[in-house]
Amino acid sequence: MPLNESEEFRAATMLPTDALLFIDANKFLDLYRIASGKKLLAALSEQTEHIFITQQVVNEVYRNKITVASEFLLAQFKELKLPGFPLPDHFFVEENEPTAIRQNLSGINDKIKETNQKVNDLALGFLDQISKAEDEISKALAPIFAKAMPHTPDELQRARERKELGNPPGKKGDPIGDGLTWEQVLSRLSGKSSLWIISRDGDYCTSYRGKRFLNHFLFQELRQRFPSLECRMFDDIADGIKDFAAVSGVKAEKLPSAEEITEIKEEESALHSRVPFP
């Protein structure tokens, strides 16, 4: 989006330390369940020093990445099959025609079985790499995750109270992880002028026709504690990083091309329709 005059001024004056860029666990997990996820890795790596990451987010990715990758592979690599159909002998003029066709079909089925086995072997190998953090995505995220901040006892206590009171983020019946991460975000906002949230979790914000709206409870919480703080929300990594760079003045030279961003968004949209967040 184009910058208005105030944003242009801030881009010229804001230091990276004035801003906090937070990416939720669900967006890191999306990298394992879309075919175009690798196209975002360079852009994420470029922002390593600016991304605020908690140990809770890292643990959530570690807990779930094999599961989401497995579900993605099962959906992508459904077993190939050749539809069966009868071959009535009276349809053919030559006596040996049905036999020849059946032999051809048998050969095609053998090739399909061979292809299915190769695809299955590739999928198993990929999952084995993920389990050992030897895959391309895990390697790219490792420097970001190495910066993960552990929580303090006070942050844990506040997260427990948040959970008991039913305050967001976090859903009924879920552990306190989301609330704990939010408490850590709040702890790091002192002295900051802007917060970027990249998440598709409805606990943080609601999307309407491409516009993101912060949960009112969280809005009130931020306004009371940090009256001058600006919060900018995105459900797409590329758009979020692009805006973060434009406003904060940091470099973002490794974003995907416009065509690649469109491809990623279309794939994410299809994914989110299958794996929605309330």
Side-chain angles (χ1 to χ4, degrees):
M1 67 181 72
L3 299 181
N4 58 38
E5 291 183 2
S6 62
E7 289 174 329
E8 289 177 348
F9 173 77
R10 290 186 52 194
T13 59
M14 178 188 291
L15 299 174
T17 51
D18 292 334
L20 194 70
L21 173 60
F22 170 69
I23 303 175
D24 200 9
N26 56 60
K27 295 307 302 179
F28 288 118
L29 288 171
D30 280 354
L31 300 173
Y32 292 93
R33 50 191 168 197
I34 59 174
S36 53
K38 291 193 294 184
K39 296 176 181 177
L40 290 166
L41 297 181
L44 281 167
S45 296
E46 190 177 20
Q47 303 304 327
T48 295
E49 67 176 293
H50 305 303
I51 295 172
F52 175 68
I53 187 93
T54 71
Q55 190 61 52
Q56 177 62 32
V57 166
V58 172
N59 290 346
E60 186 173 344
V61 175
Y62 286 169
R63 286 195 298 266
N64 294 290
K65 65 178 183 176
I66 293 179
T67 299
V68 301
S70 175
E71 292 171 349
F72 166 75
L73 292 173
L74 286 172
Q76 290 290 106
F77 301 142
K78 291 181 179 178
E79 190 174 75
L80 298 172
K81 291 182 181 180
L82 183 67
F85 51 88
L87 292 173
D89 290 342
H90 61 275
F91 279 12
F92 301 92
V93 176
E94 299 294 334
E95 183 178 348
N96 63 342
E97 281 185 312
T99 300
I101 291 177
R102 290 188 181 100
Q103 288 175 345
N104 287 338
L105 290 175
S106 177
I108 293 172
N109 270 318
D110 289 342
K111 287 292 184 181
I112 289 176
K113 289 179 182 178
E114 181 183 345
T115 301
N116 281 330
Q117 185 59 53
K118 288 181 179 179
V119 169
N120 186 61
D121 290 344
L122 287 171
L124 292 174
F126 181 54
L127 291 176
D128 184 59
Q129 284 186 319
I130 292 175
S131 71
K132 299 173 182 176
E134 295 174 351
D135 62 287
E136 189 174 351
I137 297 173
S138 296
K139 288 179 179 178
L141 294 180
I144 299 173
F145 286 4
K147 299 167 56 259
M149 293 292 297
H151 62 266
T152 66
D154 286 344
E155 289 165 344
L156 179 60
Q157 180 57 37
R158 292 197 298 270
R160 287 172 174 160
E161 293 174 359
R162 180 180 295 271
K163 179 68 176 178
E164 290 176 1
L165 293 171
N167 293 330
K171 302 171 184 63
K172 185 177 181 180
D174 284 356
I176 64 171
D178 287 343
L180 180 56
T181 287
W182 181 247
E183 288 295 341
Q184 289 187 258
V185 169
L186 293 176
S187 296
R188 301 311 183 280
L189 284 178
S190 179
K192 307 293 184 185
S193 61
S194 297
L195 166 66
W196 275 259
I197 298 175
I198 303 178
S199 174
R200 65 181 179 92
D201 195 330
D203 284 351
Y204 286 106
C205 44
T206 297
S207 179
Y208 181 75
R209 295 186 175 181
K211 176 71 174 177
R212 306 291 287 176
F213 298 91
L214 184 65
N215 178 292
H216 182 68
F217 182 90
L218 301 181
F219 170 80
Q220 287 288 90
E221 193 169 28
L222 289 175
R223 187 167 66 175
Q224 290 172 3
R225 296 183 59 173
F226 312 101
S228 61
L229 182 82
E230 179 184 15
C231 183
R232 304 170 77 92
M233 296 152 292
F234 295 85
D235 60 2
D236 178 82
I237 288 176
D239 285 346
I241 289 178
K242 182 178 180 180
D243 185 76
F244 174 74
V247 178
S248 70
V250 304
K251 290 197 305 182
E253 300 173 347
K254 298 182 180 180
L255 285 165
S257 66
E259 293 77 11
E260 289 173 331
I261 289 176
T262 298
E263 177 188 354
I264 293 167
K265 287 183 177 181
E266 289 176 351
E267 194 174 358
E268 286 184 331
S269 178
L271 167 67
H272 300 170
S273 68
R274 300 192 306 270
V275 189
F277 272 80

